[in-house]
Amino acid sequence: QVQLVESGGGLVQAGGSLRLSCVASGRTFSTYTMGWFRQAPGKDREFVAGISWSGGSAYYADSVTGRFTISRDNAKNTVYLQMNSLKHEDTAGYYCAAGPPYGMDPYHSGEYEDWGQGIQVTVSS
């Protein structure tokens, strides 16, 4: 099991940027596929971005492609989500998740084993 703690959320104007961080502890961070998901009030949790254990592959939801970038620093046990050109519809609670290194669908929330508590991102229009 790995413990995940998100930071970097807050209030930003539309068109602005935020960088979320997720620090992991407990087991070897570099063996995990990492993902970011979000959930807005009254909506289902949705995939935002994912990254392979090595950082060699990244995956994005269509709604954030070209605006968000996921990255990881295995030496710091941290995964990042750089969010640019933010829109009001990006407002949600954002959750970091960890899953196995192989054989999983990074787009599917059910494949992830451990989750952070989440952090709020609010984009004012």
Side-chain angles (χ1 to χ4, degrees), residues 5-69:
V5 179
E6 302 97 338
S7 63
L11 174 65
V12 64
Q13 289 187 331
S17 298
L18 282 175
R19 187 176 80 156
L20 303 183
S21 300
C22 173
V23 178
S25 61
R27 294 181 63 178
T28 307
F29 175 73
S30 61
T31 65
Y32 286 93
T33 297
M34 299 299 297
W36 286 97
F37 289 77
R38 66 188 181 186
Q39 187 168 18
K43 295 186 177 181
D44 293 334
R45 187 169 294 188
E46 65 173 1
F47 171 80
V48 176
I51 189 165
S52 62
W53 65 270
S54 66
S57 297
Y59 315 90
Y60 297 95
D62 290 345
S63 59
V64 306
T65 297
R67 300 188 299 122
F68 291 11
T69 302

Side-chain angles (χ1 to χ4, degrees), residues 74-118:
N74 286 345
K76 295 182 178 180
N77 288 356
T78 304
V79 62
Y80 304 96
L81 185 67
Q82 177 67 43
M83 305 185 293
N84 298 329
S85 302
L86 282 160
K87 304 175 181 180
H88 178 66
E89 49 264 43
D90 293 317
T91 296
Y94 281 71
Y95 298 85
C96 174
Y102 303 109
M104 66 168 286
D105 179 353
Y107 295 89
H108 188 228
S109 63
E111 306 262 352
Y112 291 83
E113 300 169 336
D114 298 292
W115 292 81
Q117 292 297 308

